[in-house]
Amino acid sequence: MNNFSMLQALSGGVLIGISAALLLWLTGHVAGISGIIGRLLFAVKKSDEVIWRVLFLVGLVAGAKLYYLGFAEAPTGREYFPVWLLVVSGLLVGFGSSLGKGCTSGHGVCGLGRLSVRSLVATLIFLSVAIITTFLIRHVFGLGAH
Amino acid sequence: MAKHIVGLLTGLIFGFGLALSGMTQPEKVLGFLDMAGRWDPSLLFVLGGAVGVTVISFRFILRRKKPVLDSRYYFSDETHIDRSLVIGAVLFGVGWGIGGYCPGPAVTLLAAPSWELWAFLPAMLLGIFLQKFWAARREEKNVVDEVAEQNDCS
């Protein structure tokens, strides 16, 4: 890490926070990505409630596209990373964030923002479990690293 | 209409922010989570920046009785730490620690998908589907059980 990437991380984080604040202030909704996807796929039936969520996801992709076109190269795939491990990881991320009603954005950014104890507990758990998991995968099982 | 524009605009800012912050680089995310390796603390600044803004701004926003374009706020007022929350957070943490992707970056990376995304994203959607399906089944069963119980009493 250098000062530049630190500054990038900080300004990226501030933008994420501003986005969440605008969404809550204007529409009353929480900018939790797993919740937005989950409700799109299953819960919401009224078209009015579908459209803003779809547009939010379109915006997510377009925002990143803008960044990759104008400022930096997009990340390339890790050739060494086992496919089955990615599939397992995807299943767990989907199932877990749906069961726990939130992910990094919903619990981490928005939940902590409104000082929710549930979100604080969830964030502390998934952050520490992820740190332990990365340690096991990389240093104990020697998987998913160069 | 206004709500749709807000959706698109806030999505744009969020997606740009994610890409700028480094959260869409799974290798960087794992470099942050891997404290036993060459630890990359920069993602602390992402969380710090984002939560710093929300903690301060939400205080002011939530003083308003309702949002500008709607009649109510849409977050759960649940406060109980239940089993679903804890188990869900554990499973999510394991998945995040394996691959380095959480849901936001996974969707955002459709802007420039590598081969990895075609393995991760469908699996993630399947995971959400399985959980919702399982939860709906359980709820159905509970209702049936309750009805059975009521019938027992009568």
Side-chain angles (χ1 to χ4, degrees):
Chain A
M1 188 188 75
N2 51 37
N3 285 342
F4 181 65
S5 77
M6 200 177 72
L7 192 68
Q8 270 190 309
L10 186 66
S11 23
V14 167
L15 284 179
I16 293 169
I18 290 174
S19 159
L22 283 175
L23 190 67
L24 184 70
W25 176 51
L26 293 167
T27 73
H29 283 283
V30 170
I33 314 295
S34 59
I36 289 179
I37 299 173
R39 284 193 186 84
L40 258 186
L41 293 178
F42 298 95
V44 178
K45 294 285 180 283
K46 267 172 49 195
S47 71
D48 190 48
E49 287 300 300
V50 171
I51 296 170
W52 80 262
R53 287 188 170 87
V54 171
L55 286 172
F56 183 90
L57 297 181
V58 169
L60 268 187
V61 178
K65 190 83 191 170
L66 218 69
Y67 179 72
Y68 293 136
L69 285 176
F71 302 94
E73 298 255 331
T76 50
R78 296 165 287 186
E79 294 309 328
Y80 55 85
F81 206 93
V83 182
W84 68 269
L85 212 51
L86 273 175
V87 172
V88 170
S89 148
L91 283 169
L92 287 167
V93 166
F95 195 97
S97 60
S98 180
L99 179 64
K101 296 200 178 109
C103 56
T104 340
S105 48
H107 282 314
V109 175
C110 298
L112 292 188
R114 61 185 187 91
L115 311 177
S116 146
V117 177
R118 261 173 69 87
S119 290
L120 178 65
V121 169
T123 305
L124 290 176
I125 293 175
F126 66 64
L127 202 53
S128 36
V129 169
I131 288 169
I132 297 166
T133 305
T134 306
F135 177 78
L136 290 176
I137 292 281
R138 285 193 163 179
H139 302 289
V140 178
F141 301 118
L143 285 162
H146 289 287
Chain B
M1 188 60 198
K3 192 171 167 183
H4 303 334
I5 295 170
V6 171
L8 183 65
L9 199 75
T10 50
L12 265 170
I13 301 172
F14 205 111
F16 191 92
L18 274 177
L20 170 66
S21 71
M23 287 293 289
T24 49
Q25 296 162 251
E27 224 158 346
K28 197 171 174 64
V29 174
L30 292 180
F32 164 70
L33 294 172
D34 184 5
M35 299 193 155
R38 284 175 49 216
W39 189 50
D40 173 358
S42 61
L43 294 197
L44 264 185
F45 292 88
V46 184
L47 196 66
V51 174
V53 171
T54 54
V55 165
I56 297 168
S57 62
F58 282 18
R59 282 177 61 102
F60 293 100
I61 292 166
L62 294 175
R63 274 187 203 160
R64 295 174 52 101
K65 286 232 161 51
K66 57 194 185 66
V68 177
L69 301 170
D70 209 315
S71 54
R72 56 166 289 215
Y73 293 104
Y74 296 87
F75 44 70
S76 100
D77 37 23
E78 232 171 289
T79 53
H80 180 59
I81 312 288
D82 53 12
R83 222 165 47 170
S84 299
L85 182 85
V86 174
I87 298 172
V90 168
L91 295 178
F92 169 52
V94 173
W96 190 34
I98 293 176
Y101 292 104
C102 49
V107 174
T108 301
L109 276 167
L110 281 171
S114 74
W115 72 268
E116 288 186 38
L117 202 66
W118 305 123
F120 184 88
L121 193 60
M124 183 183 95
L125 294 177
L126 180 64
I128 296 177
F129 175 80
L130 287 175
Q131 196 279 325
K132 301 275 185 202
F133 182 73
W134 172 74
R137 279 279 298 267
R138 256 181 37 150
E139 205 162 290
E140 222 168 72
K141 190 174 165 295
N142 285 346
V143 171
V144 171
D145 287 350
E146 263 169 41
V147 171
E149 244 168 60
Q150 281 167 5
N151 287 346
D152 284 346
C153 295
S154 62

